[in-house]
Amino acid sequence: MVESLLFIIMSLITISCAIGVVIQKNPIYSAVFLIQTMVSIAVLYVLLHAEFVAAVQVMVYAGAIMVIFVFVIMLLNLNKESLESDRDKLPLQKPAAITLGLILVVMIGIIMARSIYQGAEGEYPPEVMDKIGNTQLVGKMLFTKYVLPFEITSILLFAAIIGAIVLAKKQIIKEEEL
Amino acid sequence: MTVPLTWYLILSGILFSIGAVGVLINRNALVIFMCIELMLNGVNLAFVTFARQQNSMDGQIFVFFVMTVAAAEAVVGLAIIIALFRNKATVNVDDINLMKW
């Protein structure tokens, strides 16, 4: 009963904040709404017995990634004109996009409601998971079965760091030449 | 009474659709990036729900990889936006359509 109530409240908060992200004109308000969306999704992860994923969601998504977003928004310091300009160049854009979005919701809903999920039943029902501990299981899987993707992830992050530095550095050299 | 897992899947579908609509509606490159994060969050919710449904841990592991890709994408994308803003002094995607045609 408590679980259903918590799910309903959190899903309503999630959906309304997600709509807030889309319709807000000021990017900083969108960022704040997005942080709230991520925190309420973390609560849903706890309801789904994924406690470690919930903690990482709050720390990495709401903490790290959104801080980068807010940092960039503050750094660019957009003025009102640049936010409002060319907003109504395509008059049919908004109705068409909302119609397509509703069609997408209906399609996903039909697929989710009708499909029968069949696959190999895993060996970690919630009772077993509670006994061993979610974090311990995640660590075990990450360093045994998924060790190769885990190492490839480090290469991806390395490439992202180099890419960010290259993109930021090129500009400075150009300005010095001028 | 526990919540049917289909509700979680429908919620993840709604989140994904809101993100897709946001990408189509908005002209601000930063908000478009945030809507992409919203779509990734919807996918992550579906992953965790499927993991719970199949009593498996694999879906939860995949969420970590999705998060890593999201972090890398955010860093590189925001670096591109900053570089664009230095050159053209705008983040409106209508003004950055040089490669469109």
Side-chain angles (χ1 to χ4, degrees):
Chain A
M1 192 61 215
V2 179
E3 198 190 332
S4 317
L5 200 65
L6 201 56
F7 173 81
I8 290 165
I9 294 169
M10 278 305 150
S11 56
L12 286 178
I13 293 174
T14 309
I15 292 170
S16 47
C17 287
I19 293 171
V21 173
V22 174
I23 63 172
Q24 281 294 329
K25 288 216 173 7
N26 195 337
I28 199 83
Y29 294 155
S30 296
V32 173
F33 273 118
L34 190 53
I35 292 170
Q36 178 56 51
T37 312
M38 284 161 177
V39 171
S40 36
I41 289 175
V43 176
L44 294 176
Y45 287 159
V46 174
L47 288 181
L48 286 168
H49 294 271
E51 290 87 2
F52 189 63
V53 178
V56 171
Q57 166 94 1
V58 172
M59 283 192 283
V60 173
Y61 256 127
I65 296 180
M66 289 319 293
V67 167
I68 303 175
F69 268 102
V70 174
F71 178 74
V72 170
I73 292 167
M74 295 294 184
L75 191 70
L76 296 186
N77 194 17
L78 302 166
N79 49 353
K80 259 246 154 32
E81 295 84 62
S82 67
L83 292 176
E84 301 285 328
S85 65
D86 294 335
R87 199 153 268 282
D88 294 310
K89 224 179 204 172
L90 295 169
L92 266 177
Q93 184 183 16
K94 278 182 187 176
I98 291 166
T99 317
L100 286 173
L102 286 175
I103 292 170
L104 192 60
V105 169
V106 172
M107 275 167 61
I108 294 173
I110 288 171
I111 292 167
M112 294 302 186
R114 279 199 185 166
S115 12
I116 305 154
Y117 310 106
Q118 282 178 336
E121 194 76 0
E123 57 220 272
Y124 301 112
E127 303 82 47
V128 179
M129 214 190 278
D130 286 342
K131 207 186 280 174
I132 305 174
N134 180 262
T135 313
Q136 194 178 338
L137 275 175
V138 168
K140 207 182 103 194
M141 294 277 280
L142 212 54
F143 286 102
T144 53
K145 193 177 173 188
Y146 289 99
V147 69
L148 187 63
F150 181 73
E151 297 296 339
I152 294 170
T153 297
S154 67
I155 299 172
L156 174 74
L157 284 174
F158 186 55
I161 293 168
I162 293 176
I165 291 171
V166 166
L167 282 169
K169 204 174 179 182
K170 219 183 200 170
Q171 222 50 41
I172 296 165
I173 294 166
K174 215 184 209 174
E175 277 163 16
E176 279 170 0
E177 281 169 356
L178 292 170
Chain B
M1 177 195 147
T2 56
V3 187
L5 291 172
T6 315
W7 292 11
Y8 287 99
L9 294 175
I10 288 172
L11 176 64
S12 80
I14 291 171
L15 272 178
F16 187 89
S17 308
I18 292 172
V21 170
V23 170
L24 291 175
I25 283 180
N26 276 295
R27 308 283 174 81
N28 190 331
L30 283 165
V31 183
I32 289 177
F33 257 81
M34 286 185 218
C35 292
I36 293 173
E37 298 293 328
L38 208 56
M39 291 164 80
L40 286 168
N41 265 286
V43 172
N44 277 350
L45 187 59
F47 263 130
V48 174
T49 311
F50 282 130
R52 170 85 177 76
Q53 189 159 30
Q54 305 288 68
N55 289 335
S56 154
M57 286 293 294
D58 301 60
Q60 296 190 20
I61 306 292
F62 266 83
V63 170
F64 291 107
F65 295 132
V66 173
M67 278 182 186
T68 320
V69 172
E73 172 245 334
V75 167
V76 176
L78 290 172
I80 291 172
I81 289 177
I82 291 176
L84 270 173
F85 187 78
R86 278 191 191 148
N87 280 327
K88 304 197 78 171
T90 179
V91 291
N92 194 322
V93 289
D94 282 338
D95 303 330
I96 320 170
N97 54 5
L98 206 66
M99 291 170 78
K100 196 169 169 186
W101 304 113

